[in-house]
Amino acid sequence: EELVGAAPPAEMRSMAIGLAHSLSRYKLKFSPDKVDTMIVQAIGLLDDLDKELNTYAMRLKEWYGWHFPEMGKIVPDNLMYAKTIQKMGVRTKCKGLDLSDILAEEVEAELKDAAEISMGTEVSEEDVANILMLCEQVVSLSEYRAQLWDYLKNRMNAIAPNLSVMVGELVGARLIAHAGSLMNLAKQPASTVQILGAEKALFRALKAKHDTPKYGLIYHASLVGQVRDTSETLPR
């Protein structure tokens, strides 16, 4: 105020507000907590895609299963199942097709044998057209999920390399998302990290005065799974 004493109070207030806005904008733009926002969003989208893919794939197998019920056990993989239907259409075309780019040789032979003696019902061209559109959704979502998984692994290795090595990219991303940010996760004690993801079970056990859960999300880490000891000190 001494340096700009000639300025009226109204202008001083405007300058102070403008300076505060600029500082806040700078802090938000260069906040270290924002670098893991992409990880939190990516792991959330990955979980949503898994749910959608499972729903679509289950519906596809139930739908096409009326026409070719034996195929579900022969080709259990959802993506291979959808790609095979895209190439085959109706089961009567299976015998004359080359499916070696999708299926293994023995699986292809078993599928062709099953197609000849299948007990499934006949379907119309309109039915097949709608089934093929559902196949396109399954294939496209599966390909996008693979791209998203590669993106998530790269982001985790760049932002949290130590955490990725210790518990893996997937579990590490889930821990970050559950804690809210990498900074929040780093500030939490080992006892809190140990039960992240099992809060409901913890409070339920405390309310019922039962044994509390030993671990939460970190139970799925490969490093934890390699150890046979299941005592309470293992996750720590």
Side-chain angles (χ1 to χ4, degrees):
E1 292 182 0
E2 294 178 358
L3 295 176
V4 287
E11 289 189 12
M12 290 295 297
R13 284 195 298 270
S14 299
M15 290 170 59
I17 293 173
L19 179 61
H21 286 175
S22 298
L23 285 174
S24 299
R25 194 177 297 112
Y26 177 83
K27 288 181 179 179
L28 286 173
K29 186 176 181 180
F30 296 101
S31 174
D33 295 334
K34 288 187 65 179
V35 294
D36 48 24
T37 303
M38 299 304 172
I39 291 177
V40 175
Q41 297 298 327
I43 189 64
L45 179 57
L46 196 71
D47 291 338
D48 292 340
L49 282 175
D50 285 337
K51 292 177 184 178
E52 292 294 326
L53 271 172
N54 288 334
T55 302
Y56 284 2
M58 182 177 64
R59 180 62 58 196
L60 177 63
K61 288 184 177 181
E62 288 180 1
W63 198 352
Y64 196 75
W66 287 99
H67 177 61
F68 195 176
E70 298 84 2
M71 184 176 170
K73 292 184 178 179
I74 300 173
V75 187
D77 184 78
N78 295 334
L79 182 59
M80 290 183 179
Y81 190 93
K83 286 185 175 181
T84 303
I85 296 175
Q86 277 186 318
K87 193 169 186 178
M88 177 173 60
V90 292
R91 68 171 186 267
T92 53
K93 298 180 181 179
C94 183
K95 189 68 175 178
L97 291 176
D98 180 16
L99 302 172
S100 58
D101 56 332
I102 303 173
L103 305 173
E105 184 177 351
E106 59 275 8
V107 177
E108 182 183 357
E110 184 180 359
L111 184 68
K112 289 181 178 180
D113 293 339
E116 293 184 348
I117 58 173
S118 176
M119 300 294 292
T121 61
E122 297 298 326
V123 290
S124 64
E125 292 183 1
E126 186 178 3
D127 295 330
V128 175
N130 282 278
I131 292 173
L132 290 177
M133 283 191 286
L134 181 56
C135 289
E136 290 178 7
Q137 294 293 324
V138 173
V139 172
S140 61
L141 283 176
S142 298
E143 292 174 350
Y144 176 59
R145 189 204 179 279
Q147 294 176 5
L148 184 65
W149 171 235
D150 291 337
Y151 165 77
L152 181 62
K153 286 195 296 184
N154 293 334
R155 295 296 293 178
M156 280 296 297
N157 289 324
I159 295 173
N162 295 338
L163 183 63
S164 300
V165 171
M166 288 181 63
V167 298
E169 294 88 356
L170 186 62
V171 177
R174 293 191 192 283
L175 287 172
I176 292 174
H178 206 81
S181 68
L182 182 61
M183 188 69 68
N184 291 343
L185 181 64
K187 291 178 180 178
Q188 292 178 350
S191 57
T192 302
V193 177
Q194 176 181 333
I195 59 169
L196 273 179
E199 290 84 356
K200 290 184 179 179
L202 173 64
F203 293 126
R204 187 165 56 246
L206 291 174
K207 185 177 181 180
K209 296 182 179 179
H210 293 158
D211 292 337
T212 56
K214 298 177 183 177
Y215 28 62
L217 292 170
I218 61 171
Y219 179 74
H220 301 286
S222 58
L223 189 65
V224 177
Q226 291 172 3
V227 185
R228 294 183 178 180
D229 180 21
T230 57
S231 64
E232 192 170 345
T233 58
L234 166 63
R236 296 187 183 181

